[in-house]
Amino acid sequence: MKILISACLLLLLLSGPLLAHEDTDNQKVGYIQGRVINVDTGEPIGWSSIIVEDLNRSVTAHENGEFFLRNIPAGEHTLTARRLGYESTEITIRVAEADTTHVSIEQKETIFRSSAIEVVGRHYIHDDPTTETERVISGRQLRQQLGRTIAETLGNEPGLSRQSMGPAPSRPVMRGLGGERLLILEDGGQTGDLSATSADHALAIDPMTAGQIELIRGPSALTYGSNTMGGVINVVRGQIPVNMPDHIHGSGSFQGETVNSGLSGGASAFGPLGSFAYRADGSIRNAGDVSTPAGTLGNTAITTHNGSAGLSYIRPAGMVGVSGNFLNTEYGIPGGFVGAHPSGVNIEMYRRYFELKSEYHLDENWLRRLDFDGTYAYYHHRELEFGGQVGSEFGVLTSTVNAKAHHRGFIFSKGMIGLRAEMRNYSSGGFNFTPSTTEQALAGYVFEEADFNRLNLQAAFRYDLRTVRPGEEQTSPRIGLIRPRTFQNYSASLMATYDLSDGLQVGSIFMRTFRAPGVEELFSEGPHLAAYSFETGNPELNEERGFGIDVFTRYASERARVRFSLFRNQFSDFIHPVNTGETNLSTLLPVYQYSGERVLMTGFEAGGEIKLLNNLYSAGKIGYVRGDIIDDMEVMPLVAVSGEHEPLPMIPPLSGKIDLEYRRSDLTAGASMRLASAQQKTGQFEESTDGYAIYDLYMQFSFDNGPMLHTLSLNLENITNQEYRMHLSRVKSIMPEPGRNVKLLYRMYF
């Protein structure tokens, strides 16, 4: 609460210059009025996003292509237009004081699936114009892939898989790295849940009202956290408005599927209110038990209610805003496998999340913008046995404060300097005996970028200090001395990208990461019924350090687009739970203890798309990773090691996807095949899995109706009702993955 109060006071201090501004008539501002048209036909293009890059502002064009931006500071600005099915267009204009600047933006239809932007240059995202996204999932692709969870939505992306204990508690895994090594954010802020600590804990984000999902790797990932070897996944909802709309915009969605009799719906609205802008959204999800080719997987139902509201005061010099979010969910963990409760476990989870945000634009040549945000999350989680008895209970309070200064011409051509503070209070109950603990963290970081003709360089450096302090110091006969621990170290990254020729790039990323062990890894002690394990911490754990190398090439032409990456990640003191082979006699649960190992992970990713005929395209994706526990870090080879080393458990097999697709501006239809090889390289007490090939069909259609855009997405998944098992599923021993599924999504924009 001290951090939250300090955040409020600092927010008021930073927003003082905004509140002190007089009416816009006395300011050096102007207006932009424009229209977006098709460069080939001259017809208007509706629903394009118009972004003022340097001001972090945007607006959506009307159905007739017209748009209006007000209170734009006088001077030179860059406008970018983006629209599904069209190439992004960038123009530079000069806004005159107290005058309206008229512009016309021409966009050209693209042969590629523009809903999935694979960055081949510098792509600025809405939240931070000095970070680069590797991939953006939005528009048609997001609607096609939209699932019950973020992990299900991203499951078919190159290098991504999902770990699960049923449909609700599933979490993405990138290049074999999940949990704390893959940072998942909502609007750039941490979620405040416990999904990274255990496979039975669900992520506190529902994808129904997501606008887009960003995948971030490289130096820019370190601006979000020190342990981002796996990368960053940012779910963009825009709960705090940063732009002043000219009228109300919004959307409404409805989704149904047959495999679990699931129904879900959501709506959002974004509009002006004088000098304020507001945004509100909400969603409801209700699904029953999942059907598989081998029968029904019991106790897998899920019910979720989610909503948010935000209000911002927006002036030419910046904005200040607040938002509140709630999520309530109930879901089941199936039973029936080794160590599991015969009837499974039910989980009740809720989160309350509040955010304060401020932006202030400066006239200085080198210091361009100051950002400040503060968050407060209250998370509660109960695990109930059948009959209502509480097995485990967790509560977490998380407060964060972030401050960033964006600059130009300071070290490199542009960059950012930031500070972050966090306080986290953890407590547990039921039959879990992990002590109440307070975590405090402080971090400083710098990100820089520069262009040297054909060469682009990005670099980041971050230093973190974290203290983990239990409520009282004590000695446990099972795990040892429980005492305060302090960890500190640095993270760094460098990325170089070189344009060999038009459309062909090569590059490499070097990363050094740092991760401090968490409360559960240090001090846990007792049964965790929903995870079907007796968990014991290790108070002597050291900090985890990783070093990674990624070499990649990208090619894009009028008919084809290809990307290939080869990576190698090595870790010292890689923290993970190890099955000891013992069984706790009082609970009959297998005993897991956290340990630090030397680990080597190597692999590759590839993806591409080619135009076969007019309106006919083919695309493919493939990813592979191998993980090994290594005895001697000094003799680690540059490539995968021989079979004499112990395999790291829970590593996904070689997997991929092939698509054949017909596209028009208003219609997409295609067929896909999802593939995975057998996984025989398993850790101790881990089951192997067979390979599989799954076939899907899909179709999307859109049409305008006055001021509204309507979209319809139909997916036929696993059309042959094939029985298959995913290696990262904890319930694969009792039931296969879902069977044939018909999924329909209707979404309307206005």
Side-chain angles (χ1 to χ4, degrees):
M1 287 304 297
K2 292 180 180 178
I3 288 184
L4 184 63
I5 293 172
S6 300
C8 294
L9 294 174
L10 184 55
L11 181 65
L12 291 175
L13 181 63
L14 290 175
S15 60
L18 300 180
L19 301 175
H21 274 304
E22 299 177 359
D23 191 68
T24 57
D25 291 340
N26 297 323
Q27 297 175 21
K28 296 180 180 180
V29 299
Y31 307 88
I32 301 174
Q33 185 172 12
R35 196 180 192 204
V36 186
I37 62 173
N38 189 309
V39 66
D40 296 317
T41 66
E43 295 294 321
I45 301 174
W47 313 101
S48 287
S49 294
I50 314 301
I51 304 163
V52 187
E53 298 285 6
D54 55 326
L55 297 180
N56 193 27
R57 298 185 186 177
S58 66
V59 69
T60 301
H62 301 299
E63 66 277 6
N64 61 0
E66 295 181 354
F67 64 91
F68 185 75
L69 288 156
R70 59 181 177 177
N71 294 341
I72 303 298
E76 190 175 276
H77 300 281
T78 299
L79 299 185
T80 301
R82 300 192 183 102
R83 207 298 195 176
L84 304 181
Y86 293 85
E87 295 179 358
S88 295
T89 301
E90 185 177 286
I91 65 171
T92 299
I93 64 170
R94 178 165 291 278
V95 175
E97 180 182 346
D99 196 5
T100 299
T101 302
H102 297 272
V103 298
S104 178
I105 301 179
E106 298 178 337
Q107 288 191 268
K108 181 180 178 61
E109 289 191 62
T110 177
I111 66 170
F112 291 107
R113 184 195 314 233
S114 61
S115 56
I117 303 172
E118 185 163 336
V119 179
V120 295
R122 266 64 63 199
H123 171 68
Y124 299 146
I125 60 177
H126 80 290
D127 181 62
D128 189 345
T130 55
T131 61
E132 178 178 316
T133 56
E134 180 167 302
R135 289 198 296 278
V136 177
I137 295 91
S138 62
R140 289 182 181 179
Q141 187 182 11
L142 181 58
R143 293 193 296 269
Q144 178 188 324
Q145 298 178 190
L146 188 65
R148 286 156 287 186
T149 63
I150 296 298
E152 187 177 321
T153 301
L154 297 176
N156 293 323
E157 288 299 305
L160 276 161
S161 49
R162 57 188 172 95
Q163 177 180 313
S164 70
M165 288 189 70
S170 61
R171 203 174 193 273
V173 173
M174 187 181 292
R175 295 183 173 182
L177 296 172
E180 297 285 359
R181 300 173 190 91
L182 178 59
L183 189 57
I184 300 180
L185 309 173
E186 187 174 29
D187 284 338
Q190 296 190 16
T191 59
D193 59 32
L194 292 176
S195 64
T197 63
S198 181
D200 65 298
H201 296 171
L203 185 66
I205 302 176
D206 191 285
M208 175 57 68
T209 55
Q212 65 184 39
I213 302 175
E214 300 162 344
L215 278 61
I216 305 169
R217 287 199 187 110
S220 57
L222 289 182
T223 64
Y224 298 102
S226 65
N227 184 41
T228 55
M229 187 70 77
V232 174
I233 295 175
N234 184 32
V235 181
V236 179
R237 292 178 63 184
Q239 295 177 97
I240 294 182
V242 295
N243 313 299
M244 180 61 74
D246 54 347
H247 65 83
I248 296 177
H249 295 271
S251 66
S253 305
F254 172 81
Q255 186 179 49
E257 54 185 329
T258 60
V259 76
N260 57 8
S261 302
L263 294 174
S264 56
S268 65
F270 168 48
L273 192 65
S275 295
F276 292 85
Y278 66 87
R279 186 188 183 279
D281 69 39
S283 64
I284 299 175
R285 185 178 301 277
N286 187 49
D289 292 341
V290 172
S291 297
T292 79
T296 300
L297 181 58
N299 203 43
T300 52
I302 178 173
T303 299
T304 301
H305 298 84
N306 183 35
S308 71
L311 183 68
S312 297
Y313 179 71
I314 300 176
R315 306 292 282 181
M319 55 77 61
V320 55
V322 297
S323 72
N325 171 284
F326 78 90
L327 182 138
N328 297 338
T329 186
E330 298 179 8
Y331 61 91
I333 302 292
F337 52 92
V338 176
H341 193 286
S343 302
V345 174
N346 292 324
I347 291 182
E348 298 175 350
M349 184 186 85
Y350 66 85
R351 185 194 69 161
R352 304 293 182 263
Y353 187 85
F354 302 93
E355 183 177 9
L356 310 170
K357 184 174 184 177
S358 175
E359 294 180 1
Y360 186 56
H361 301 273
L362 302 170
D363 295 329
E364 302 292 334
N365 290 329
W366 68 278
L367 188 58
R368 308 293 292 180
R369 197 177 92 218
L370 298 176
D371 293 349
F372 170 83
D373 68 79
T375 67
Y376 174 77
Y378 173 45
Y379 172 86
H380 187 254
H381 172 116
R382 292 203 309 165
E383 301 175 359
L384 306 174
E385 302 179 32
F386 272 75
Q389 184 179 5
V390 177
S392 298
E393 188 170 11
F394 305 93
V396 182
L397 302 176
T398 307
S399 303
T400 67
V401 175
N402 295 276
K404 295 185 260 187
H406 303 261
H407 69 81
R408 290 185 182 274
F410 179 50
I411 301 177
F412 286 359
S413 58
K414 62 182 176 221
M416 175 178 61
I417 301 172
L419 292 171
R420 182 180 188 276
E422 175 187 338
M423 177 174 286
R424 184 172 180 260
N425 295 309
Y426 170 95
S427 63
S428 63
F431 294 100
N432 187 291
F433 306 111
T434 303
S436 297
T437 307
T438 299
E439 294 180 84
Q440 295 175 312
L442 182 66
Y445 53 88
V446 58
F447 172 88
E448 300 295 330
E449 181 178 2
D451 287 298
F452 303 96
N453 196 7
R454 289 176 173 266
L455 177 66
N456 174 261
L457 291 179
Q458 294 185 25
F461 180 86
R462 180 185 179 106
Y463 198 88
D464 283 77
L465 171 67
R466 179 173 290 270
T467 299
V468 185
R469 189 179 302 276
E472 60 177 329
E473 187 172 316
Q474 57 183 303
T475 299
S476 165
R478 183 178 285 112
I479 67 173
L481 179 61
I482 298 175
R483 66 194 188 280
R485 297 290 308 276
T486 297
F487 306 90
Q488 56 183 320
N489 215 313
Y490 74 93
S491 307
S493 181
L494 174 68
M495 181 170 77
T497 306
Y498 186 78
D499 295 326
L500 286 175
S501 61
D502 289 342
L504 179 61
Q505 291 182 324
V506 294
S508 60
I509 302 173
F510 302 89
M511 284 199 79
R512 201 263 194 192
T513 60
F514 151 74
R515 181 170 89 87
V519 174
E520 299 86 350
E521 296 161 332
L522 290 169
F523 306 139
S524 60
E525 184 178 3
H528 191 174
L529 188 61
Y532 308 129
S533 60
F534 190 96
E535 297 175 350
T536 54
N538 184 350
E540 306 304 320
L541 284 174
N542 296 318
E543 61 199 34
E544 178 183 299
R545 299 173 304 280
F547 180 77
I549 303 174
D550 184 341
V551 180
F552 61 87
T553 182
R554 303 162 174 160
Y555 173 75
S557 70
E558 289 295 321
R559 298 190 61 87
R561 182 172 294 175
V562 178
R563 174 178 173 133
F564 177 79
S565 296
L566 184 67
F567 61 89
R568 178 186 187 273
N569 300 323
Q570 68 181 49
F571 298 88
S572 60
D573 294 299
F574 183 91
I575 302 170
H576 68 120
V578 176
N579 191 328
T580 63
E582 302 176 359
T583 300
N584 181 267
L585 298 179
S586 61
T587 61
L588 300 180
L589 292 171
V591 177
Y592 286 78
Q593 178 154 31
Y594 286 96
S595 177
E597 309 274 8
R598 293 171 174 172
V599 166
L600 173 66
M601 304 180 76
T602 57
F604 68 88
E605 291 174 4
E609 184 174 80
I610 186 171
K611 183 178 182 179
L612 301 174
L613 299 169
N614 191 28
N615 299 113
L616 186 64
Y617 306 86
S618 179
K621 308 169 184 176
I622 189 170
Y624 172 77
V625 61
R626 172 171 176 167
D628 291 273
I629 299 173
I630 307 298
D631 295 329
D632 188 352
M633 181 69 73
E634 294 182 357
V635 297
M636 275 189 168
L638 293 176
V639 294
V641 296
S642 61
E644 63 192 44
H645 295 280
E646 181 183 348
L648 188 67
M650 298 301 285
I651 295 296
L654 173 71
S655 60
K657 186 171 180 278
I658 301 173
D659 289 277
L660 184 64
E661 190 171 278
Y662 173 83
R663 298 181 202 153
R664 291 194 332 231
S665 60
D666 59 347
L667 175 66
T668 301
S672 64
M673 179 170 60
R674 291 175 278 148
L675 301 155
S677 68
Q679 179 57 288
Q680 305 292 339
K681 298 180 178 68
T682 57
Q684 283 188 311
F685 313 105
E686 185 183 12
E687 301 175 62
S688 62
T689 49
D690 297 329
Y692 58 82
I694 306 300
Y695 302 93
D696 306 316
L697 297 173
Y698 58 89
M699 182 274 293
Q700 291 196 56
F701 178 70
S702 63
F703 63 93
D704 296 340
N705 180 18
M708 296 184 180
L709 175 66
H710 304 267
T711 65
L712 190 68
S713 304
L714 177 65
N715 285 31
L716 305 178
E717 300 171 338
N718 193 5
I719 57 178
T720 62
N721 202 37
Q722 181 173 334
E723 183 175 315
Y724 70 104
R725 286 166 166 81
M726 293 181 61
H727 188 71
L728 299 190
S729 169
R730 291 281 298 273
V731 299
K732 59 182 180 287
S733 61
I734 56 169
M735 278 291 176
E737 292 300 301
R740 184 183 297 112
N741 185 28
V742 180
K743 185 162 61 177
L744 178 67
L745 172 67
Y746 165 75
R747 181 164 289 174
M748 174 267 296
Y749 301 89
F750 60 89

